[in-house]
């Protein structure tokens, strides 16, 4: 009887994995994974590059063999190529990478038609589905545009349409939003949630963005090929209870030095400090943090529940899978006074490519010792601005200065005074860690004594002890990225340019990277200009310029930008209801046109939170409504959506 019950439960699932394992030679990619994915749910695989997500998904799709365990998809045991073929008509697979399942020379409509013919979709059925999907994704106006001319977000929406055109029962989406700007990410998730609700499809989705985890109904966190934790977002939160304390101190460097030993998950966010306190509620957590400061003046700003990324890092730390360390924190009293002067100045910088204006009269300034964020969607012009300031690309108009050198006439001086880390890490993968550092030291003209000194400093700064003789190609992504940063710093530059530096890096690696940047800015006085797609990372910046279509459209601190959003759009309401998709329709009926699904929750802006909260509870008696702080993603999406609307 017990065996019969187990088989029945497995047949009720869309996907069941038991003891699943996959090896590549001697490397274990996935080891002993058990998962149950229910029909009709959005199930997430969370984890950094190399966690085993892609291997697992390809095996479920029947396109990758595996070495141990079993996979059942809609009750069919996938134990042979023939078995995989029997269920492929019910699956839709969207592989990792922008437009990887599309054809560049075909238009949007031609790509859709090709996949429809491949899946034997009847012509009359195709016409109706195509109309629906193109309308939902807002691609109908661009149906004749070649795929290779689409933005990253449009490519991903077209990829989703092609994956869904044959109405599969299960869609498998491998990191569908990696490399996509926040507006396109949010748009993608809204479309997916609505489609799945209307058609009852099951979705298996992977992501490296921990802030996306709240959009899943259930999830599994993977680390090193194994399941670290699984369940609903609430289940995951319960595994590592605690609270997050946000505070400010005039001695930010000293305060962080006192907090790190007791609270390893302490980090600087612009002028503030953010501290995760294990096993404490908001009230006691604040008291513990103030006690750890031992009299150092500080102001408590907020005590709140942790985000899922905090929980993920805490689980790794508590289980001995990640060592956050104390870093090279300066002692209390080391204020790291910011040196005077402007490190970077852009004055009406403009760059044309033929008739296309990529950068249009961009102006900003970055004081020495500041972390400055340059944000924008794909194609906004961020990388072009950096290349002009670094002397890599001449401007069509305007001027700029970096570390006191004119970017038009002092190319060599600028290169000697800056460090530059591009989107593609500029390392030599067939050289060891030490060989890469010595090579860059030679390029910058350091002598033998200086090279030895800087090599030791970089090894300590980047946490590379024991890795000196390892090839760069064999390093984990986080260590490789810190080595690339070290090579950019080998000549002690006054200014550091970082272009999407943490793409593909796990949360622990990103936090360690930002700890280094904090010390560089506050203790060493280095000015840092960084572009990033991680909106949570924008919080680390002291000041932000947001670019849209080649122009700067907002310029302020993160706190200032959030305050502007609240004044313009109102407070952000979070609505929790047992039937979120049905509740969303009610919320929109009540006039919240911008309301959107976030997994099991709904977000909407309100100019009168008290009155609107009462209205929502009257129509949705089972719902809870609360005001939550706005994020930098909310700021970015609101600004860019408004500007896009003004252009149409």
């Amino acid at each position: 009887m017990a065996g019969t019950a187990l088989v029945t439960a497995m047949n009720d699932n869309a996907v069941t994995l038991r003891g699943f394992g996959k090896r590549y030679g001697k490397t274990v990619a996935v080891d002993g994974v058990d998962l149950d994915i229910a029909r009709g749910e959005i199930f997430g695989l969370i984890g950094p590059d190399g966690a085993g997500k892609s291997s697992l998904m390809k095996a479920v799709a029947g396109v990758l063999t595996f070495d141990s365990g079993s996979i059942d998809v809609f009750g069919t045991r996938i134990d042979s190529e023939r078995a995989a073929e029997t269920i492929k008509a019910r699956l839709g697979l969207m592989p990792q990478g922008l437009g990887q399942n599309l054809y560049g020379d075909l238009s949007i409509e031609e790509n859709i038609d090709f996949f429809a013919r491949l899946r034997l979709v009847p012509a009359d059925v195709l016409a109706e589905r195509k109309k629906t999907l193109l309308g939902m994704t807002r691609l109908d106006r661009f149906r004749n545009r070649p795929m290779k001319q689409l933005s990253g977000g449009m490519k991903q929406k077209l990829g989703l349409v092609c994956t869904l055109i044959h109405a599969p029962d299960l869609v498998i989406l491998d990191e569908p939003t990696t490399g996509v700007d926040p507006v396109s990410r949010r748009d993608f998730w809204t479309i997916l949630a609505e489609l799945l609700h209307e058609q009852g499809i099951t979705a298996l989705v992977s992501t490296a963005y921990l802030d996306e985890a709240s959009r899943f109904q259930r999830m599994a966190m993977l680390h090193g090929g194994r399941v670290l934790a699984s369940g609903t977002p609430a289940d995951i939160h319960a595994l590592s209870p605690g609270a997050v304390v946000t505070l400010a101190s005039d001695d930010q460097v000293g305060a962080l030095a006192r907090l790190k030993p007791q609270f390893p998950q302490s980090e600087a966010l612009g002028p503030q400090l953010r501290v995760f306190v294990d096993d404490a509620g908001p009230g006691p957590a604040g008291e513990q943090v103030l006690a750890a400061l031992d009299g150092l003046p500080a102001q408590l700003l907020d005590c709140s529940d942790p985000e899922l990324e905090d929980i993920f890092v805490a689980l790794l730390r508590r289980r001995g899978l990640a060592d956050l360390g104390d870093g090279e924190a300066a002692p209390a009293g080391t204020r790291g006074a910011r040196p005077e002067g402007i490190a970077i100045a852009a004055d009406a910088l403009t760059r044309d490519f033929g008739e296309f204006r990529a950068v249009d009269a961009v102006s900003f300034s970055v004081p020495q010792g500041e972390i400055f964020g340059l944000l924008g969607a794909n194609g906004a012009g961020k990388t072009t601005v950096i290349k002009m300031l670094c002397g890599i690309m001449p401007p069509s108009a305007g001027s700029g200065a970096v570390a006191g050198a004119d970017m038009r006439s002092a190319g060599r001086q600028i290169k000697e005074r800056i460090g530059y880390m591009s989107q593609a890490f500029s390392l030599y993968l067939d050289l060891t860690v030490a060989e890469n550092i010595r090579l860059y030291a030679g390029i910058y003209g350091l002598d033998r004594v200086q090279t030895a000194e800087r090599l030791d400093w970089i090894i300590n700064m980047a946490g590379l002890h024991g890795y000196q003789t390892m090839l760069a190609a064999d390093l984990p992504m986080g260590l490789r990225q810190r080595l690339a940063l070290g090579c950019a710093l080998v000549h002690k530059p006054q200014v550091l340019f970082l272009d999407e530096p943490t793409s593909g890096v796990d949360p622990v690696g990103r936090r360690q990277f930002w700890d280094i940047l904090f010390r560089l800015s506050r203790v060493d006085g280095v000015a840092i200009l960084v572009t990033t797609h991680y909106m949570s990372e924008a919080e680390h910046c002291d000041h932000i310029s947001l670019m849209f279509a080649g122009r700067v459209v907002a310029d302020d601190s993160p706190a200032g930008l959030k305050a502007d959003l609240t004044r313009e759009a109102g407070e952000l309401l979070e609505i929790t209801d047992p039937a979120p998709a049905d509740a969303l329709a009610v919320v929109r009926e009540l006039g919240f046109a911008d309301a959107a699904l976030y997994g099991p929750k709904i977000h909407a802006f309100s100019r009168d939170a008290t009155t609107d909260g009462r209205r929502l509870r009257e129509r949705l008696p089972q719902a809870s409504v609360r005001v939550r702080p706005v994020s930098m993603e909310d700021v970015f999406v609101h600004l860019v959506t408004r500007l896009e609307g003004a252009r149409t």
Side-chain angles (χ1 to χ4, degrees), residues 242-245 277-286 288 303-305:
V244 170
V245 177
V277 181
D278 290 301
D279 303 315
Q288 289 184 42
C303 296
S304 59
D305 294 328

Side-chain angles (χ1 to χ4, degrees), residues 94 101 108 112 115 129-130 133-134 136-137 139 155-167 188 191 195:
M94 185 172 165
N101 61 330
I108 285 178
I112 297 170
F115 278 91
R129 285 184 191 163
K130 187 161 56 175
L133 292 169
L134 285 174
M136 289 191 71
T137 54
L139 292 174
K155 287 178 182 176
Q156 291 304 75
K157 287 191 281 189
L158 175 57
L160 180 62
V161 171
C162 293
T163 302
L164 293 170
I165 196 62
H166 65 292
F188 185 94
I191 293 163
L195 283 170

Side-chain angles (χ1 to χ4, degrees), residues 210 221 223 228-229 236-244 263-267 274-280 306-324 506-509 511:
L210 268 292
M221 288 183 166
H223 178 77
L228 181 69
I236 304 294
H237 270 281
L239 294 175
S240 189
V244 170
F263 308 107
Q265 283 178 239
S266 299
E267 58 180 339
R274 188 174 185 276
V275 184
F276 178 82
V277 181
D278 290 301
D279 303 315
E307 302 291 338
L308 274 167
E309 181 169 312
D310 300 309
I311 302 299
F312 182 76
V313 174
L315 287 172
L316 291 174
R317 174 175 53 82
R318 287 180 164 191
R319 298 180 186 182
L321 299 172
D323 181 11
L324 301 181
D506 66 273
V508 173
R511 289 180 180 225

Side-chain angles (χ1 to χ4, degrees), residues 602-641:
I602 300 166
H603 286 185
F605 281 99
S606 166
R607 296 188 180 278
D608 186 345
T610 301
T611 301
D612 286 338
R614 185 169 57 249
R615 291 171 58 218
L616 287 164
R617 293 185 192 95
E618 287 172 356
R619 288 290 304 276
L620 298 168
Q622 292 184 288
S624 64
V625 183
R626 74 180 184 104
V627 175
R628 59 167 292 143
V630 298
S631 66
M632 277 307 303
E633 180 176 316
D634 295 316
V635 172
F636 187 101
V637 171
H638 179 79
L639 277 170
V640 173
T641 302

Side-chain angles (χ1 to χ4, degrees), residues 346-397:
D347 184 12
L349 276 181
T350 301
R351 174 68 194 194
D352 297 325
F353 294 95
E355 297 182 357
F356 173 67
R357 177 152 290 182
V359 176
D360 189 3
V362 165
S363 299
F364 59 81
S365 63
V366 183
Q368 201 70 46
E370 180 175 88
I371 301 177
F372 181 89
L374 195 60
L375 306 184
N378 293 333
K382 307 183 300 296
T383 300
T384 303
V385 168
I386 288 181
K387 288 181 177 179
M388 287 191 286
L389 289 169
C390 292
I392 297 172
M393 178 185 294
S396 303

Side-chain angles (χ1 to χ4, degrees), residues 96 105 121 129 186 207 235 272 306 331 372 424 446 572 588 591 594 610 612:
Q96 186 177 343
D105 292 328
V121 179
R129 285 184 191 163
R186 187 172 290 196
T207 181
D235 294 334
Q272 301 175 356
F372 181 89
L446 276 62
L572 183 62
R588 288 176 174 169
D594 63 346
T610 301
D612 286 338

Side-chain angles (χ1 to χ4, degrees), residues 4 10 28 96 110 201 222 262 284 426 447 510 607 648:
T4 302
M10 291 172 63
V28 178
Q96 186 177 343
E110 288 169 340
I201 299 171
L222 299 183
Q262 185 172 340
S426 50
D447 61 29
R510 289 206 307 272
R607 296 188 180 278
T648 57

